[in-house]
Amino acid sequence: MRKRKCQTIVFILSIGLLSFTYVRLNKLFFSPEEVFYACERGLRSGPSEEIVQEFVQEDGSLLLVGRQKEDLFVASAEKHLGIFWKMKSGGVHGLFPVEKEFDGYLMQDGKYIGLCLNPEITEIRCIAGSYSEQNWQEYSCQVGEDGFFFCETGLDGTENYDVYEEGRNADGEVLYTMGDGDLAESLRRGRFTPEAKEVTKPFSTAPTIE
């Protein structure tokens, strides 16, 4: 009887050791947040003071955005075996520095995310499009109390777009701009520069994301 108990204990310990080894070797975690902070450590970055947003992607994985003082860090995590989480293949987007009053980035899945450091700016407007396709849209993002902003553009973030961005205060006054302001003005008047050709596909303003 005693021998059987010892065998049982050894068996349980062996299972635990093998499970622990499997988890460590495959870099598995019990939450997407653990995956996120492990990605930061792996890149010797951070740690983020907080994870400001988590997005569910089309394949069920999570896109996590953390704030590191005046920068953003982005990584993706996916479920494994139903109970674990691991880094999604190609899912470490890394550090997104904010070097101006605000910086926005167009992700591969079309999300436009960024961080605003100017507390007077309450709205970010982004115009994205292509001269070759002559197709442009304007997107509006409300800036949260933590300075984070985002909106869904529906654009393919793997392609190159000409982008104009501006930050506005609560009264609608433009406080800061980045990009081709002449392009933005021409688009809003129904024409685009520099050739002043007519827009063959109408410029439209996308719904505001609250």
Side-chain angles (χ1 to χ4, degrees):
M1 190 70 172
R2 185 174 181 181
K3 183 178 180 180
R4 181 175 295 178
K5 286 183 178 180
C6 290
Q7 289 176 335
T8 301
I9 293 173
V10 171
F11 178 75
I12 293 174
L13 290 175
S14 298
I15 292 296
L17 179 61
L18 289 173
S19 299
F20 176 78
T21 302
Y22 176 82
V23 169
R24 291 298 300 270
L25 288 177
N26 290 277
K27 298 179 180 179
L28 303 179
F29 300 89
F30 290 102
S31 73
E33 291 77 18
E34 288 182 278
V35 175
F36 176 87
Y37 289 116
C39 290
E40 285 190 319
R41 290 194 299 271
L43 293 178
R44 302 192 179 203
S45 180
S48 293
E49 290 82 12
E50 61 175 331
I51 295 177
V52 295
Q53 194 74 41
E54 295 184 6
F55 299 101
V56 179
Q57 302 183 93
E58 291 184 0
D59 59 2
S61 62
L62 285 181
L63 180 74
L64 297 94
V65 183
R67 178 169 182 173
Q68 298 181 4
K69 296 181 180 179
E70 297 184 351
D71 296 318
L72 294 177
F73 189 92
V74 182
S76 294
E78 61 184 1
K79 270 284 184 69
H80 182 73
L81 298 178
I83 59 173
F84 298 112
W85 288 86
K86 68 177 184 178
M87 184 188 75
K88 181 181 177 182
S89 178
V92 181
H93 306 282
L95 187 68
F96 288 71
V98 180
E99 300 173 341
K100 310 176 186 71
E101 293 201 25
F102 69 88
D103 263 318
Y105 295 89
L106 184 62
M107 309 298 291
Q108 288 188 0
D109 62 356
K111 289 182 178 64
Y112 173 66
I113 68 171
L115 184 66
C116 179
L117 304 179
N118 184 340
E120 294 185 24
I121 294 177
T122 60
E123 179 189 23
I124 305 295
R125 291 196 180 183
C126 168
I127 294 176
S130 168
Y131 276 107
S132 60
E133 296 180 6
Q134 298 183 23
N135 185 20
W136 307 82
Q137 283 194 322
E138 182 174 34
Y139 302 90
S140 177
C141 309
Q142 300 302 308
V143 179
E145 293 182 358
D146 55 8
F148 179 71
F149 60 86
F150 82 96
C151 61
E152 301 278 0
T153 68
L155 300 173
D156 183 353
T158 62
E159 298 180 11
N160 292 323
Y161 291 94
D162 298 287
V163 176
Y164 166 79
E165 299 159 298
E166 62 185 26
R168 300 186 175 203
N169 62 17
D171 296 323
E173 179 185 1
V174 177
L175 302 183
Y176 191 80
T177 64
M178 290 184 287
D180 191 344
D182 292 334
L183 166 66
E185 185 64 24
S186 296
L187 285 169
R188 286 167 175 162
R189 293 182 179 182
R191 303 174 70 86
F192 78 95
T193 56
E195 297 87 356
K197 297 176 182 178
E198 293 184 1
V199 178
T200 57
K201 295 181 182 180
F203 170 69
S204 61
T205 300
T208 300
I209 305 297
E210 298 294 344

